[in-house]
């Protein structure tokens, strides 16, 4: 496997250049734009040819600019064992992240909805399902109570109720404040968990 350009040679300078490009891309996303490699290079004061060494395509640039990219887990270091408490901790962290980066999240949602049919389905960060893994980690203590497919089906149901899509509906259509929307999403996640424990996971588990 080849070493990424930024991790070879003069790594300190390359890291600064990389961070400058990502910062410029994030500013563009926050402004509702879909940054290109060329435009981001100009905004960051980086040569176009240099920028393409870090980001050969717009897809890779958008992935690096997405707020969720570097997160591996949303559980606290002292994560509880109770699945309901674990799920609430993850949902609270996730919804806080969504609200705190709402402008960027809305842009990524728009880009996802406007995706060229010829583009791979997982090309944008919003379509890569990171949150599913975070939720499944929260639900891990349910192994033995629910099957693996059952836990995944529950995670999918929870994700459908707590992302930027839900925030947009609850605030723009439902008229809730951001704080009220976050509480509604936390409530929905717990309700889905309780229902799964009483009557089994959503039908998607059968797949």
């Amino acid at each position: 496997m080849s070493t990424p350009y930024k991790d070879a040679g003069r790594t300190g300078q390359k890291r600064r250049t990389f961070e400058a490009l990502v910062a410029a891309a994030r500013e563009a996303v926050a402004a509702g734009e879909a940054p290109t490699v060329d435009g981001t290079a100009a905004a960051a004061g980086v040569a176009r040819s240099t920028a393409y060494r870090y980001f050969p395509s717009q897809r890779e640039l958008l992935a690096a600019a997405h707020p969720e990219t570097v997160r591996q887990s949303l559980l606290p270091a002292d994560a509880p064992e109770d699945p309901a408490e674990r799920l609430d901790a993850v949902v609270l962290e996730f919804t806080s992240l969504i609200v705190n980066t709402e402008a960027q999240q809305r842009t990524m949602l728009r880009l996802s909805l406007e995706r060229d049919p010829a583009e791979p389905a997982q090309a944008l960060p919003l379509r890569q399902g990171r949150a599913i893994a975070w939720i499944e980690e929260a639900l891990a203590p349910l192994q033995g109570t629910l099957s693996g497919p059952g836990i995944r089906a529950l995670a999918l149901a929870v994700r459908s109720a707590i992302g930027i899509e839900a925030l947009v509906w609850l605030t723009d259509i439902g008229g809730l404040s951001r704080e009220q929307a976050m509480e509604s999403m936390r409530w929905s996640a717990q309700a889905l968990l309780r229902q799964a424990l009483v009557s089994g996971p959503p039908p998607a588990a059968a797949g």
Side-chain angles (χ1 to χ4, degrees):
M1 181 179 294
S2 61
T3 302
Y5 177 74
K6 65 182 175 59
D7 295 328
R10 300 157 65 184
T11 56
Q13 180 178 332
K14 288 182 176 180
R15 171 57 59 179
R16 289 190 292 273
T17 301
F18 174 81
E19 291 175 351
L21 289 167
V22 170
R26 284 180 174 164
E27 287 185 13
V29 171
E33 303 168 4
T36 63
V37 178
D38 288 8
T40 300
V46 174
R48 178 177 176 273
S49 59
T50 299
Y52 275 99
R53 291 174 183 167
Y54 294 89
F55 303 109
S57 70
Q58 184 188 39
R59 178 188 62 79
E60 291 169 289
L61 176 65
L62 288 170
H66 196 264
E68 299 172 5
T69 298
V70 299
R71 302 298 295 272
Q72 299 300 317
S73 173
L74 296 190
L75 284 171
D78 56 343
E81 290 299 320
D82 179 68
E85 293 180 14
R86 289 167 64 94
L87 179 61
D88 191 55
V90 167
V91 171
L92 178 58
E93 183 67 15
F94 182 61
T95 54
S96 296
L97 185 153
I98 294 295
V99 169
N100 291 335
T101 59
E102 183 177 345
Q104 294 96 318
Q105 300 286 347
R106 283 177 177 262
T107 298
M108 289 297 182
L109 175 59
R110 176 174 57 80
L111 292 175
S112 180
L113 294 173
E114 295 174 354
R115 180 180 65 87
D116 186 332
E119 184 181 31
Q122 301 299 319
L124 291 173
L126 195 62
R127 291 176 173 263
Q128 292 176 7
R130 291 187 178 91
I132 303 303
W134 296 332
I135 298 167
E136 286 181 316
E137 182 186 20
L139 299 174
L142 293 178
Q143 293 174 5
T145 302
L146 298 179
S147 67
I151 289 176
R152 180 165 183 82
L154 176 56
L156 289 172
V158 171
R159 171 60 183 86
S160 72
I162 67 172
I164 181 60
E165 306 89 344
L167 180 69
V168 169
W169 196 94
L170 289 168
T171 56
D172 294 10
I173 308 301
L176 300 185
S177 67
R178 269 62 186 169
E179 293 75 15
Q180 290 171 326
M182 288 176 65
E183 288 304 309
S184 178
M185 288 188 276
R186 291 174 69 186
W187 183 92
S188 295
Q190 292 297 311
L192 287 165
L193 173 58
R194 288 193 298 270
Q195 184 64 23
L197 292 175
V198 170
S199 60

